[in-house]
Amino acid sequence: KQEVTQIPAALSVPEGENLVLNCSFTDSAIYNLQWFRQDPGKGLTSLLLIQSSQREQTSGRLNASLDKSSGRSTLYIAASQPGDSATYLCAVRSGGGADGLTFGKGTHLIIQP
Amino acid sequence: DAGVIQSPRHEVTEMGQEVTLRCKPISGHNSLFWYRQTMMRGLELLIYFNNNVPIDDSGMPEDRFSAKMPNASFSTLKIQPSEPRDSAVYFCASKRGTANQETQYFGPGTRLLVL
């Protein structure tokens, strides 16, 4: 059974810093990995999707990498801003034809102004 | 596009009552997912449908939970009878297809409190 772990569970940094969020998964047979953002009381918004054949994806100040063989992904946020404060969730779509996502418990990020 | 629509947004009920959560997926999407989020367990997949057909319901916790998708634009998740441990946020998500590059779009969730 696929398990997804995110470290750290919470992170607080001053505005302007670059930061890295970590995600690991136990079964490397995945179709893709996604990073989502969740704001309090809201649904999830997809940030980046990395297919299993890809190594990284970039969107603006965000860069996500995938090392499928080691079961790891990182989300890099450059020049953090207070508006980046949210919970960031990592999710994998496992192989074997399954279409649902397995989520980590998230990293709660606070960017101090 | 209105996005995924869920109703109600909040529901407070008493133990033993029937609860029905509703979801309207994005038009043209043919996959629909129900997830549950709690502090202890995080986000968990309950069930998903492709072309209105339930594909995987292994995440449904008990027989008290049931889900239907009578047509491409509507799905329900029913809990009968409800228990306090069912208190959680229930999310519905939809996806355009099964291709690897397609992402799921989430609704705002229904916050359920069972007293």
Side-chain angles (χ1 to χ4, degrees), chain A residues 1 31-32 34 36 38 41-46 49 51-53 89 93 97-105, chain B residues 9 31 33 35 37 40-43 45 48 50 91 95 97-104 106-108 111:
Chain A
K1 179 185 175 186
Y31 283 125
N32 62 44
Q34 292 184 250
F36 290 87
Q38 185 175 25
K42 301 287 182 63
L44 281 67
T45 301
S46 179
L49 183 153
Q51 297 184 53
S52 60
S53 58
L89 294 156
R93 180 187 172 189
D99 207 1
L101 296 175
T102 303
F103 282 85
K105 290 189 176 180
Chain B
R9 292 293 309 278
S31 295
F33 306 81
Y35 293 89
Q37 186 176 37
M40 287 294 294
R41 301 173 67 92
L43 260 165
L45 176 69
Y48 76 91
N50 280 342
F91 287 102
K95 190 158 76 90
T98 58
N100 202 18
Q101 66 270 27
E102 296 289 348
T103 189
Q104 295 183 19
F106 281 73
R111 189 173 296 272

Side-chain angles (χ1 to χ4, degrees), chain B residues 11-13 19 21 79 86-90 110-114:
Chain B
E11 177 82 19
V12 180
T13 191
V19 175
L21 311 181
I79 308 172
D86 302 330
S87 298
V89 182
Y90 291 80
T110 294
R111 189 173 296 272
L112 174 65
L113 177 61
V114 183

